[in-house]
């Protein structure tokens, strides 16, 4: 396991975060502290050779991590928990999670040195859209809503597995999580194990070539926009799409691609330079209202 690391100013990050995210995807972590002006950009991987290409382009250093790096890193986490609605709290340390009263409404995701923990805007927006889409589907311990809906989720570019694990907490019957990096999948599997979630099928695969299942309720795809556009014909078979990893200046191009593929935008969220989109395939001339879509189709469509 290796990690590329560079200390960077805000100006440098503004100019280079987008190309770094295209290369690193969910593996890119930006670590910043309020008392420091500079941040640290990191990308982890199993191949030093691939990271050397990043260093030759962006500078920085490459470090070989010890075998127990994940355990050591989890001990050092002191950040505040992340709340996703009233249904999920994400912790980065064992001590913090142990204070949680409801284990079925919490996750421990300590792998922030290499993969997402939910703090990056693209992941945070995706998590909140996922929570809202499934809020009235039941399936979670303590849910007041019925009938319970059986649903499946496909998570593309899973990284730490955070969206896949959140889906399992929200009541998904089955979750498939894909990443082309074996280290990411190994980390995601470890996160599933520590959270005692066993209904997630993790696979190392290229989303361009992997055969998508014929039917799936939700696809989450935190990928760079060029790849999203390339695989849209596959993505649109899902009832709902949660797309992120998109820069604001790439929004118009993606919107045009969605229209070409018969996919309707239900909602767009923006945070800083990033956007996330909730969408669904157009199957009829008249779409349900946004509220109907987010409530899982339990309400009557708007006239």
């Amino acid at each position: 396991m290796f990690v590329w690391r560079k200390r960077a100013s805000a100006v440098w990050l503004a100019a280079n975060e987008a190309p770094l995210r295209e290369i690193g995807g969910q593996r890119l972590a930006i670590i910043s502290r309020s008392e420091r002006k500079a941040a640290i950009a990191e990308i982890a991987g199993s191949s030093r050779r691939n990271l050397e290409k990043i260093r030759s382009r962006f500078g920085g250093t490459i470090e070989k991590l010890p075998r127990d790096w994940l355990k050591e890193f989890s001990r050092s986490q002191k950040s505040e928990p992340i709340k996703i609605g009233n249904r999920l709290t994400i912790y980065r340390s064992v001590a913090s999670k142990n204070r949680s009263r409801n284990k079925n409404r919490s996750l421990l995701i300590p792998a922030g040195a290499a993969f997402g923990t939910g703090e990056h805007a693209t992941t945070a927006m995706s998590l909140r859209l996922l929570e809202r889409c499934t809020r009235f589907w039941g399936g979670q311990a303590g849910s007041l809503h019925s009938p319970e809906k059986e649903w499946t989720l496909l998570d593309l570019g899973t990284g730490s597995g955070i969206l896949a694990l959140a889906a399992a907490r929200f009541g998904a019957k089955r979750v498939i999580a894909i990443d082309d990096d074996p280290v990411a999948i190994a980390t995601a599997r470890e996160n599933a194990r520590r959270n005692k979630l066993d209904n997630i099928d993790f696979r190392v695969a290229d989303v361009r070539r992997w055969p998508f299942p014929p039917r799936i309720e939700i696809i989450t795809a935190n990928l760079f926009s060029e790849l999203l556009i390339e695989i849209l014909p596959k993505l649109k078979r899902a009832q709902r799409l949660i797309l992120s990893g998109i820069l604001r200046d790439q929004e118009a191009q993606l919107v045009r691609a969605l229209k070409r593929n018969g996919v309707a935008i239900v909602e767009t969220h923006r945070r800083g330079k990033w956007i996330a989109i909730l969408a669904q395939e157009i199957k009829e001339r008249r779409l349900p209202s946004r509220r109907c879509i987010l409530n899982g189709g339990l309400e009557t469509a708007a006239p």
Side-chain angles (χ1 to χ4, degrees):
M1 177 71 172
F2 301 89
V3 61
W4 167 85
R5 183 178 291 119
K6 181 178 176 64
R7 187 177 298 276
S9 66
V11 174
W12 190 93
L13 280 174
N16 293 280
E17 183 178 357
L20 276 172
R21 191 159 294 280
E22 288 189 3
I23 296 170
Q26 285 273 61
R27 293 178 296 150
L28 174 64
I30 305 295
I31 304 166
S32 60
R33 296 179 181 175
S34 57
E35 71 274 13
R36 297 182 182 178
K37 293 183 179 180
I40 297 174
E42 294 184 347
I43 296 177
S46 57
S47 169
R48 187 183 187 107
R49 183 178 180 181
N50 290 338
L51 294 180
E52 287 286 0
K53 296 177 182 178
I54 297 174
R55 182 169 65 174
S56 65
R57 179 176 174 182
F58 298 100
T61 61
I62 297 174
E63 176 187 352
K64 184 176 182 179
L65 298 176
R67 290 188 176 182
D68 61 348
W69 70 273
L70 188 57
K71 183 184 295 184
E72 291 299 319
F73 184 82
S74 65
R75 291 174 182 170
S76 67
Q77 298 307 291
K78 298 180 181 180
S79 64
E80 291 297 316
I82 301 167
K83 293 201 71 176
I84 308 299
N86 294 319
R87 299 169 64 202
L88 186 66
T89 303
I90 299 168
Y91 298 93
R92 292 179 65 182
S93 71
V94 175
S96 296
K97 186 176 185 295
N98 286 342
R99 294 195 291 268
S100 172
R101 295 181 180 179
N102 192 334
K103 305 302 181 185
N104 290 326
R105 293 178 180 264
S106 64
L107 287 174
L108 173 62
I109 310 287
F115 305 100
T117 61
E119 293 175 323
H120 191 273
T122 57
T123 310
M125 289 187 289
S126 296
L127 283 166
R128 286 173 172 83
L129 284 172
L130 178 61
E131 189 277 328
R132 291 178 63 191
C133 278
T134 61
R135 188 179 296 171
F136 293 86
W137 286 2
Q140 187 183 48
S143 174
L144 300 177
H145 304 284
S146 62
E148 181 175 326
K149 177 183 174 69
E150 290 189 351
W151 56 282
T152 56
L153 177 135
L154 173 60
D155 182 29
L156 305 178
T158 195
S160 65
I162 187 168
L163 286 167
L165 271 62
R169 281 286 190 254
F170 292 153
K173 181 181 180 181
R174 186 190 180 201
V175 180
I176 305 171
I178 304 293
D179 204 293
D180 63 357
D181 185 350
V183 175
I185 291 298
T187 302
R189 283 185 177 133
E190 176 62 17
N191 284 332
R193 184 200 62 77
R194 65 165 46 88
N195 286 284
K196 298 180 179 179
L197 293 169
D198 57 8
N199 63 330
I200 304 174
D201 182 2
F202 293 104
R203 303 186 187 184
V204 178
D206 183 340
V207 297
R208 296 178 180 89
R209 300 177 179 84
W210 186 71
F212 282 42
R215 176 178 172 81
I216 197 134
E217 277 68 37
I218 299 177
I219 292 178
T220 53
N222 191 357
L223 305 167
F224 58 89
S225 62
E226 289 84 354
L227 181 54
L228 288 174
I229 291 170
E230 182 181 342
I231 63 174
L232 263 179
K234 291 183 175 183
L235 297 179
K236 69 179 185 180
R237 69 186 61 185
Q239 290 183 19
R240 295 168 179 82
L241 296 175
I242 297 175
L243 310 176
S244 62
I246 309 149
L247 287 164
R248 286 201 184 204
D249 59 9
Q250 299 167 334
E251 181 177 357
Q253 182 183 12
L254 181 62
V255 168
R256 288 193 295 269
L258 290 169
K259 289 180 178 178
R260 286 197 305 270
N261 283 272
V263 179
I265 295 175
V266 177
E267 193 167 343
T268 301
H269 285 216
R270 297 174 178 85
R271 183 183 294 183
K273 68 178 76 174
W274 300 99
I275 70 168
I277 291 174
L278 172 64
Q280 71 170 29
E281 185 180 7
I282 301 173
K283 294 183 179 179
E284 298 179 359
R285 289 186 178 181
R286 187 173 64 182
L287 288 172
S289 67
R290 189 184 77 167
R291 189 180 177 193
C292 174
I293 293 168
L294 291 177
N295 288 4
L298 295 179
E299 298 184 11
T300 305

